[in-house]
């Protein structure tokens, strides 16, 4: 409900009516891209509970296909995945210049892999998350990203920001 209230607040600030129909259309459409099915399912439950429409993909290749076919406001993507990784997905989306907010996440440090979160931000991610992270950290990061240029809505492509600005901070969340 907190995210719904914040989205309503941004819509009112941007001159949108706050009827229940407006709020339903105004909730961001989120694409979750991760090769871990249990994590995708958990993220889906959390975000749908907050009122979002959620689409999911098991890797960057499928994620890019879904992103191209649908109006997606925010992509929440893992970095290390088979087929096409999260960095490749990020670069492919940014090359199109179609405005989309992107949050990259990785559990690389847990598995002894190179942490690519800083590289993801340099390449155009709006924020990064380090796994594991909690529900509140996830939701507050999504709110922060959407509030940067006002909330983007899937119902109105003209309302999207330019989606190519680099964030000045890296969020590392342990939870």
């Amino acid at each position: 409900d907190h995210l719904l209230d914040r989205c309503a607040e941004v819509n009112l600030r941007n001159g949108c009516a706050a009827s229940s129909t407006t709020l339903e259309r105004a909730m961001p459409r989120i694409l979750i891209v991760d090769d871990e099915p249990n994590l995708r399912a958990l993220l889906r439950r959390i975000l749908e509970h907050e009122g979002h429409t959620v689409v999911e993909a098991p890797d960057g290749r499928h994620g890019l296909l879904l992103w191209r076919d649908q109006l997606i406001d925010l992509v929440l993507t893992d970095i290390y995945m088979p087929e096409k990784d999260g960095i490749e997905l990020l670069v492919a989306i940014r090359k199109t210049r179609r405005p989309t907010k992107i949050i990259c996440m990785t559990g690389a440090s847990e598995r002894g892999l190179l942490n690519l979160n800083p590289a993801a931000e340099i390449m155009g991610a709006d924020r990064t998350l380090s796994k594991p992270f909690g529900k509140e950290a996830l939701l507050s990061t999504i709110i922060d990203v959407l509030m940067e240029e006002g909330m983007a809505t899937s119902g109105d492509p003209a309302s999207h920001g330019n989606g190519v600005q680099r964030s000045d901070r890296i969020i590392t969340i342990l939870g």
Side-chain angles (χ1 to χ4, degrees):
D1 290 340
H2 178 66
L3 185 58
L4 185 61
D5 293 340
R6 292 294 300 270
C7 290
E9 173 188 322
V10 174
N11 279 340
L12 288 172
R13 201 172 344 126
N14 291 336
C16 298
S19 72
S20 61
T21 339
T22 301
L23 291 177
E24 286 171 19
R25 280 184 286 127
M27 288 303 288
R29 186 174 180 85
I30 298 175
L31 170 61
I32 300 169
V33 186
D34 198 301
D35 58 328
E36 297 177 35
N38 292 338
L39 179 59
R40 280 197 322 269
L42 176 62
L43 293 172
R44 174 187 277 277
R45 277 194 305 274
I46 290 169
L47 296 172
E48 285 180 342
H49 182 267
E50 293 294 324
H52 295 284
T53 299
V54 177
V55 184
E56 51 180 279
D59 57 52
R61 184 175 67 81
H62 289 97
L64 188 57
L65 292 172
L66 286 170
W67 178 82
R68 284 181 177 151
D69 288 344
Q70 301 182 32
L71 285 175
I72 301 292
D73 298 297
L74 183 133
V75 175
L76 181 62
T77 183
D78 190 19
I79 292 179
Y80 285 101
M81 295 179 290
E83 296 284 330
K84 183 183 283 285
D85 66 36
I87 298 291
E88 292 172 301
L89 175 62
L90 168 65
V91 169
I93 290 172
R94 291 298 183 233
K95 276 185 183 177
T96 69
R97 300 183 99 34
R98 182 171 122 196
T100 304
K101 300 291 186 175
I102 301 174
I103 299 172
C104 290
M105 55 185 176
T106 187
S109 57
E110 287 186 325
R111 298 182 294 184
L113 300 171
L114 179 64
N115 183 351
L116 293 177
N117 279 346
E121 288 221 348
I122 290 169
M123 306 285 281
D126 293 287
R127 290 284 195 287
T128 60
L129 287 168
S130 293
K131 296 177 188 175
F133 50 84
K135 174 183 172 181
E136 292 305 315
L138 171 68
L139 296 177
S140 68
T141 300
I142 289 172
I143 289 169
D144 287 349
V145 166
L146 295 174
M147 298 282 284
E148 282 179 357
E149 295 176 24
M151 191 185 77
T153 62
S154 56
D156 180 10
S159 69
H160 289 264
N162 69 9
V164 294
Q165 83 181 43
R166 181 183 168 278
S167 171
D168 292 329
R169 64 187 175 125
I170 297 172
I171 297 178
T172 302
I173 300 165
L174 302 173

